Amino acid sequence: MRNEKIAQILDNAAAKAIPVAQMSQLENFSLENAYKIQRISINRRLERGEKITGFKLGFTSKAKMEQMNVHDLIWGFLTDEMELQPDEKIDLKRWIHPRAEPEIAFHVSKDFPDHELDLEELPQYLDKMAVAIEIIDSRYENFKFSLEDVVADNCSSTGYVIGDWKDLETKISDLYIRLKINDETIQQGKTSAILDNPLQSVVELSRLATESNIAVKEGYVILAGAATAAEYLKPNQTVEAEVEKLGGISFRINE
Ligand code: OOG
Ligand code: MG
């Protein structure tokens, strides 16, 4: 199958909220090809008028790698269509089998240069941070995939909600983070679970973006990846993420 065809199948699966078989079971494709498919599917979104709003990193913690049985860091695109408002009532029918995970978001204050950034340089390029909830929705049946599959599927990107932006702090590698559903703590951990320091996710992004010649622009949002496993969403839930010092953010799901 051509890359264009795979991108089209995954894009349609997302639009119709109907899962598809794992592409890697129909045909072997390389990780490099998987990123090419991801780009083609993002271009389809851009052609429909969506705008890139940032990037997400995935599998930056052991908890996530173990939950999904995939063991390499991945990255994908965020678009304005994925941005949800905290006061929005969310209807699950638009997705296949959505899950939520608590995250930290960073706000890009200056276009990244065309070289890899190190931790010390990051405050020149980031100004804010916030608690976020990412909603992921694999387009594959049973939420099962190989590394190549999930990359081609834009890393299950589906939705994100961002809390109030706070000034960037650099000592954030030991903060308590949790996901609550209907006031009950369902997932919890420390931000150190994210590559020892969530800011390291931004370093990785700068490396990957430089290697792929992709621009990380002022105004973009970067999701550092979940510190904990993700939880399936059900009707009638209030979903909340909290990070020590950063506060919380929540949204409500319709009946
Ligand atoms: C892939 C996306 C992983 C994270 O934060 O680790 C991710 C998935 O689990 O479906 O977003
Ligand atoms: Mg995530």
Side-chain angles (χ1 to χ4, degrees), residues 76-90:
F77 290 83
L78 302 173
T79 72
D80 57 345
E81 195 258 344
M82 301 175 193
E83 193 181 342
L84 305 164
Q85 301 309 317
D87 47 8
E88 200 170 321
K89 277 218 170 163
I90 290 175

Side-chain angles (χ1 to χ4, degrees), residues 56 58-72 97-103 134-138 142-146 150 156 179 181 186-188 225-233:
K56 64 168 278 179
F59 305 131
T60 51
S61 71
K62 257 209 191 96
K64 277 291 305 187
M65 290 194 265
E66 278 167 7
Q67 181 181 34
M68 303 319 298
N69 200 25
V70 171
H71 297 88
D72 233 326
H97 34 211
R99 284 171 153 164
E101 47 193 24
E103 299 225 8
E134 184 180 25
I135 299 172
I136 49 175
D137 190 27
S138 176
N142 306 316
F143 225 113
K144 285 226 172 73
F145 43 67
S146 67
V150 67
S156 311
L179 184 74
I181 295 189
I186 318 267
Q187 291 289 344
Q188 57 189 324
T228 70
E231 284 291 327
Y232 279 115
L233 296 176

Side-chain angles (χ1 to χ4, degrees), residues 11 18 30 63 96-97 106 145 214 235:
D11 195 33
I18 298 173
S30 66
I96 301 166
H97 34 211
F106 297 102
F145 43 67
I214 288 182

Side-chain angles (χ1 to χ4, degrees), residues 178-187 238-242:
R178 68 172 158 174
L179 184 74
K180 293 200 298 186
I181 295 189
N182 293 341
D183 257 334
E184 199 188 320
T185 301
I186 318 267
Q187 291 289 344
T238 299
V239 183
E240 198 176 349
E242 277 178 11

Side-chain angles (χ1 to χ4, degrees), residues 89-148:
K89 277 218 170 163
I90 290 175
D91 189 351
L92 294 184
K93 287 195 205 78
R94 59 200 272 197
W95 299 314
I96 301 166
H97 34 211
R99 284 171 153 164
E101 47 193 24
E103 299 225 8
I104 291 188
F106 297 102
H107 181 260
V108 176
S109 56
K110 190 169 145 190
D111 292 357
F112 279 19
D114 56 2
H115 63 84
E116 180 184 340
L117 295 172
D118 59 34
L119 278 175
E120 288 68 40
E121 289 173 282
L122 290 188
Q124 297 172 45
Y125 297 93
L126 303 173
D127 58 351
K128 306 273 178 199
M129 56 193 290
V131 183
I133 303 172
E134 184 180 25
I135 299 172
I136 49 175
D137 190 27
S138 176
R139 269 53 72 164
Y140 299 114
E141 284 158 0
N142 306 316
F143 225 113
K144 285 226 172 73
F145 43 67
S146 67
L147 184 68
E148 291 79 14

